């Protein structure tokens, strides 16, 4: 018999037996066992259905049904506030009711509604820059994409000077400040994407931190009082090709209603070649500027080039909602705590036609598959003869594609106090290619959720790997980030790369192909060729992980020193007040 570390799933009454190891301390989170975990974990503890039997509810056909339905053209790509969005939410609430979940919103509602402000800037055909006796006119779409930074009917910059600011990062913990107290009020900041990635001690090495994301860049520019920001696109620094910028940043951009945070007038992207030409107007070389920016001593470089741009902006208000389904915990002491499963139900809606004239961005993989996995997990948990000790919240969030807005709204208006949320388990995108020897855990190394996931994956005969595309910053690109920001330890499972009976590079090839061809394009459509085997495995992993967390005596914790630990300490302290 193999000797393994067994995460304690004891005193559950949920159909999962504790390990039988005599010397195991009853309150330890991890105990030694000489039994295979599967036997010890799964041994029935009473009732006529074990957790293992309940887990059989996680079935490919159930998931396929949900994916086929909400990625159908009838749902028009589920753009926030659209009729497709309304229809998808109604459909998902019905499925939750059918599973026997309880409405998790206020006043017995399935929905947690929120307002969205739709900002649609009229994209000017051209954008002109002048300086050093020269003038350069850029072409919209091919060279630049622009958006309004303000929720007003007009956004405008006039005669603003362009200043190259390197990464545009201020990070005291890395003693990094690209601005060096230079007055950037009213300027247009030309910025590099990503964060410093050549030194493992700096900004997580080649792991992209929030500092490397466009939402940070724009906020950072606004904090300087800048009139505008221009991010230089390169595929490696963005993690996706310029066509994703083109399709994601044109049309209506949704935001939560503006608060008192600083905002620039104009946020934009240019291609790398365009940026090269722009700095060449100042007699400078982009590569040399970037080289300088790889250094803590870097200072902003004014280009002596000015620009004006005015856009009419169509501002609309719509409503969307998170769909909340609840399973009440069975332990009177712990039922006011919760494990939250999330998957975003929205996608991009109707947009720019592709080559085939298709205008519906179906979002089948992104994220009908995530929704389907979470619903299948809910179905299995509901099939347990006794609920887990802590409550379970199924939270299908909206407006993720617009910048994690639904989960951000939930995090600001949580139905459980942040300190009572034991963990967030998020699904965004499913494995449509088959069984894997591995599974990707985006955010591995950040919290004690790692141990649980690693053990359970081991029982599945799989190894847990950290984000295989760490440079793309996936931890900050889906809804677990909203939970992490309020201190909740989070797991985001993603497709493995080592496929059973496939050559080693096959998995990466499939995923890179998806990113290049289908990601955020009208071709992200369901195909009958998809297999749900991998999704079943990944949903099972999330099911067992959620049960282990919901039934443990103690909640998971962040690794000491993690970027989100301080928020957790604050959230736990707030419970005592
Ligand atoms: Zn997604």
């Amino acid at each position: 018999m193999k000797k393994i570390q067994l995460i304690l799933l004891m005193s559950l009454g949920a159909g999962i037996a504790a390990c039988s190891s005599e010397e195991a301390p009853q309150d330890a989170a991890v105990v030694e066992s000489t039994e295979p975990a599967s036997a010890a974990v799964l041994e029935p503890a009473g009732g006529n259905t074990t957790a293992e039997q309940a887990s059989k509810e996680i079935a490919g056909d159930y998931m396929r049904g949900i994916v086929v339905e909400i990625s159908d053209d009838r749902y028009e790509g589920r753009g926030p506030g659209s009729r497709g969005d309304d229809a998808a939410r109604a459909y998902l609430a019905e499925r939750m009711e059918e599973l026997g979940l309880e409405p998790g919103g206020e006043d017995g509602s399935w929905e947690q509604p929120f307002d969205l402000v739709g900002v649609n800037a009229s994209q000017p055909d051209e954008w002109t820059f002048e300086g050093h006796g020269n003038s350069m006119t850029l072409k919209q779409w091919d060279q630049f994409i622009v958006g309004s930074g303000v929720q007003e009917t007009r956004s405008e910059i006039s005669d603003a000077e362009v200043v190259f600011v390197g990464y545009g990062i201020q990070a005291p913990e890395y003693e990094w400040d690209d601005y060096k107290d230079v007055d950037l009020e009213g300027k247009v900041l030309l910025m590099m994407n990503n964060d410093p990635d050549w030194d493992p001690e700096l900004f997580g090495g080649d792991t992209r931190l929030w500092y490397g994301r466009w939402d940070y860049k724009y906020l950072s520019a606004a904090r300087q009082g800048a009139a505008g920001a221009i991010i230089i696109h390169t595929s490696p620094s963005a993690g996706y090709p310029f066509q994703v910028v083109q399709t994601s940043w044109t049309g209506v951009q949704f935001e939560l209603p503006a608060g008192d945070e600083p905002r620039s007038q104009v946020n934009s992207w240019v291609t790398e070649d365009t940026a090269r030409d722009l700095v060449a107007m100042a007699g400078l070389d982009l590569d040399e500027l970037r080289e300088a920016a790889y250094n803590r001593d870097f200072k902003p470089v004014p280009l002596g080039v000015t620009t004006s741009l005015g856009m009419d902006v169509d501002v609309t208000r719509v409503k969307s909602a998170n769909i909340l389904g609840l399973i009440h915990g069975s332990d009177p002491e712990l039922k006011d705590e919760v494990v939250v499963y999330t998957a975003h139900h929205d996608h991009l809606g109707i947009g720019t036609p592709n080559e085939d004239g298709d205008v519906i961005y179906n979002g089948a993989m992104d994220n009908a598959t995530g929704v389907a996995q979470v619903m299948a997990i809910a179905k299995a948990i509901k099939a347990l003869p006794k609920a887990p000790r802590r409550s379970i919240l199924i939270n299908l969030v909206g407006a993720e594609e617009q910048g994690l807005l639904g989960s951000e709204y939930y995090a600001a208006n949580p139905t459980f106090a942040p300190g009572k949320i034991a963990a967030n388990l998020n699904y965004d995108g499913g494995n449509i290619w088959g069984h894997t020897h591995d599974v990707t855990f985006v955010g591995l190394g950040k919290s004690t959720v790692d141990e649980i996931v690693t053990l359970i994956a081991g029982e599945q005969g799989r190894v847990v790997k950290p984000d295989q595309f760490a440079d793309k910053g996936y931890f900050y690109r889906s809804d677990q980030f909203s939970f992490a920001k309020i201190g909740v330890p989070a797991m985001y499972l993603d497709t493995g790369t080592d496929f059973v009976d496939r050559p080693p590079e096959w998995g990466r090839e499939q995923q890179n192909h998806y990113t290049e061809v289908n990601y955020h394009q009208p071709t992200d459509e369901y195909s009958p060729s998809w297999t749900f085997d991998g999704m079943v495995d990944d949903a099972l992993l999330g099911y067992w992980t959620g049960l282990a967390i919901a039934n443990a005596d103690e909640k998971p914790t962040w690794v000491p020193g993690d970027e989100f630990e301080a928020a957790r300490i604050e959230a736990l302290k707030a419970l005592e007040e």
Side-chain angles (χ1 to χ4, degrees):
M1 276 193 194
K2 58 181 171 170
K3 174 126 174 144
I4 47 151
Q5 287 273 305
L6 174 64
I7 301 291
L8 199 61
L9 297 171
M10 59 200 320
S11 58
L12 318 182
I16 309 173
C19 105
S20 54
S21 178
E22 306 268 288
E23 69 281 6
Q26 289 299 297
D27 58 353
V30 176
V31 295
E32 290 283 328
S33 169
T34 52
E35 293 290 312
S38 51
V41 170
L42 306 177
E43 185 188 317
N48 54 14
T49 310
T50 68
E52 190 169 27
Q53 280 167 331
S55 75
K56 296 196 170 69
E57 297 291 334
I58 295 173
D61 283 345
Y62 179 75
M63 291 193 249
R64 191 184 295 270
I66 290 173
V67 171
V68 168
E69 179 70 20
I70 66 174
S71 69
D72 191 275
D73 277 356
R74 286 183 292 114
Y75 289 86
E76 297 179 343
R78 309 184 304 282
S82 70
R83 58 184 183 177
D85 183 50
D86 293 348
R89 283 169 10 229
Y91 168 81
L92 293 168
E94 259 172 52
R95 295 281 79 76
M96 284 193 185
E97 187 160 23
E98 175 188 275
L99 293 184
L101 306 188
E102 304 218 11
E106 266 178 41
D107 305 324
S109 167
W110 292 101
E111 296 204 339
Q112 180 185 46
F114 53 85
D115 289 322
L116 291 171
V117 178
V119 178
N120 193 357
S122 58
Q123 297 273 329
D125 294 337
E126 297 180 337
W127 189 2
T128 300
F129 294 78
E130 290 176 330
H132 307 281
N134 278 322
S135 144
M136 185 169 94
T137 298
L138 311 182
K139 269 192 150 59
Q140 194 268 349
W141 193 262
D142 291 338
Q143 292 186 288
F144 75 90
I145 296 291
V146 69
S148 171
V150 289
Q151 296 175 355
E152 289 158 25
T153 53
R154 181 94 184 151
S155 75
E156 196 146 22
I157 47 180
S158 60
D159 278 330
E161 188 183 12
V162 182
V163 181
F164 177 75
V165 293
Y167 288 104
I169 289 175
Q170 287 183 302
E173 69 273 35
Y174 295 110
E175 293 167 33
W176 194 282
D177 179 3
D178 285 320
Y179 300 130
K180 305 286 190 302
D181 282 331
V182 172
D183 182 7
L184 297 167
E185 181 93 32
K187 310 286 187 193
V188 171
L189 309 192
L190 178 65
M191 341 171 79
M192 292 152 67
N193 206 342
N194 206 349
D195 54 42
D197 58 0
W198 56 86
D199 177 351
E201 301 295 311
L202 266 182
F203 297 92
D206 58 10
T207 297
R208 182 191 305 256
L209 302 184
W210 187 46
Y211 294 116
R213 296 271 307 142
W214 56 262
D215 45 347
Y216 171 81
K217 306 276 173 192
Y218 290 148
L219 179 61
S220 176
R223 282 173 179 161
Q224 302 306 307
I230 304 174
I231 296 176
I232 304 167
H233 176 271
T234 69
S235 289
S237 72
Y240 38 76
F242 196 66
Q243 72 191 42
V244 172
V245 173
Q246 292 166 330
T247 55
S248 305
W249 282 87
T250 47
V252 184
Q253 306 295 308
F254 288 100
E255 304 171 358
L256 294 176
D260 47 13
E261 72 282 1
R263 287 170 169 263
S264 302
Q265 290 284 314
V266 168
N267 293 328
S268 65
W269 294 77
V270 295
T271 62
E272 185 177 22
D273 286 344
T274 303
R276 202 178 289 286
D277 294 346
L278 203 52
V279 303
M281 284 180 76
L284 297 168
D285 178 82
L286 182 63
D287 294 326
E288 282 172 21
L289 284 179
R290 287 192 287 211
E291 196 68 37
Y294 295 155
N295 201 302
R296 276 201 175 87
D297 301 333
F298 169 81
K299 283 201 188 78
V301 181
L303 298 188
V305 169
T306 59
T307 187
S308 299
L309 188 70
M311 293 181 290
D312 289 327
V313 185
D314 188 25
V315 180
T316 49
R317 284 181 181 264
V318 295
K319 281 186 182 301
S320 187
N322 301 322
I323 315 294
L324 307 179
L326 195 58
I327 298 169
H328 290 285
S330 58
D331 184 329
E333 301 275 292
L334 292 177
K335 62 190 288 189
D336 65 336
E337 295 186 352
V338 69
V339 174
V340 181
Y341 287 94
T342 47
H344 73 87
H345 61 69
D346 64 294
H347 194 58
L348 297 170
I350 292 175
T352 308
N354 69 358
E355 286 164 2
D356 303 326
D358 190 353
V359 293
I360 298 175
Y361 289 65
N362 303 76
M365 182 196 276
D366 184 12
N367 184 32
T369 55
V371 166
Q373 288 173 94
V374 166
M375 289 296 287
I377 292 169
K379 189 165 186 259
I381 296 175
K382 234 357 239 184
L384 293 166
K386 189 174 179 190
R389 294 171 72 194
R390 290 185 177 81
S391 296
I392 303 287
L393 179 65
I394 305 299
N395 186 349
L396 302 177
V397 295
E400 186 268 356
E401 302 290 7
Q402 310 294 330
L404 319 180
L405 301 181
S407 58
E408 189 182 323
Y409 184 84
Y410 182 86
N413 304 274
T415 55
F416 289 77
K420 296 275 189 186
I421 304 176
N424 168 232
L425 310 181
N426 184 48
Y427 285 79
D428 191 356
N431 169 4
I432 57 171
W433 300 287
H435 294 294
T436 52
H437 296 294
D438 61 346
V439 62
T440 299
F441 181 163
V442 179
L444 187 72
K446 297 181 81 68
S447 78
T448 57
V449 174
D450 291 13
E451 298 160 24
I452 302 166
V453 174
T454 303
L455 171 90
I456 294 165
E459 284 306 306
Q460 293 181 312
R462 300 200 292 169
V463 294
V464 176
K465 289 186 187 160
D467 190 355
Q468 296 299 289
F469 303 85
D471 57 315
K472 297 190 179 181
Y474 284 124
F475 190 81
Y476 311 91
R477 280 171 64 179
S478 192
D479 296 298
Q480 72 287 335
F481 179 40
S482 297
F483 284 84
K485 280 201 276 191
I486 57 166
V488 178
M491 175 199 80
Y492 167 23
L493 281 187
D494 206 357
T495 304
T497 50
D498 182 7
F499 282 78
V500 173
D501 297 331
R502 300 282 190 181
E505 276 306 303
W506 189 85
R508 266 175 181 281
E509 282 161 22
Q510 307 310 306
Q511 291 176 56
N512 284 332
H513 181 264
Y514 170 81
T515 303
E516 276 152 34
V517 177
N518 306 121
Y519 175 66
H520 284 194
Q521 302 300 324
T523 51
D524 181 3
E525 291 178 320
Y526 168 74
S527 157
S529 68
W530 286 10
T531 166
F532 283 71
D533 292 349
M535 276 187 257
V536 168
D537 294 342
D538 291 348
L540 281 169
L541 181 50
Y543 163 79
W544 288 111
T545 301
L547 287 186
I549 294 168
N551 288 320
D553 288 340
E554 302 295 334
K555 296 190 286 286
T557 56
W558 293 101
V559 167
D562 187 87
E563 58 187 324
F564 301 114
E565 188 190 27
R568 186 56 157 184
I569 292 167
E570 206 177 296
L572 294 173
K573 215 186 270 168
L575 296 176
E576 290 158 18
E577 281 157 13

